[in-house]
Amino acid sequence: DTPKDGHMCSQCQFYIAAGGQPGAGQPGAGMMGGGMGSGKMMSGGTCKVVQGAISPMGWCQFFAPHTG
């Protein structure tokens, strides 16, 4: 549930944001979802590799940076 070396699930190609598309993490968006100042915390999502609910601030051994 914590980042490692600046890497986190929301920046991974396998992360699927809640209601979003695969690889739809928010690289560089910080903790805010929907843009800065929206007042909404980034919600959890799912993963193509790891089962269960995924914290966008998490990290695992399968991390692969989202490339675009």
Side-chain angles (χ1 to χ4, degrees):
D1 287 331
T2 58
K4 181 176 180 180
D5 299 328
H7 299 268
M8 60 187 79
C9 294
S10 65
Q11 300 169 337
C12 180
Q13 66 179 337
F14 301 123
Y15 181 72
I16 303 169
Q21 300 294 322
Q26 305 268 331
M31 288 288 296
M32 305 301 281
M36 296 301 290
S38 70
K40 296 180 182 176
M41 294 299 286
M42 187 184 289
S43 62
T46 57
C47 179
K48 291 177 162 183
V49 178
V50 178
Q51 292 183 342
I54 303 296
S55 167
M57 294 295 296
W59 178 91
C60 83
Q61 66 184 4
F62 303 113
F63 177 82
H66 179 61
T67 57

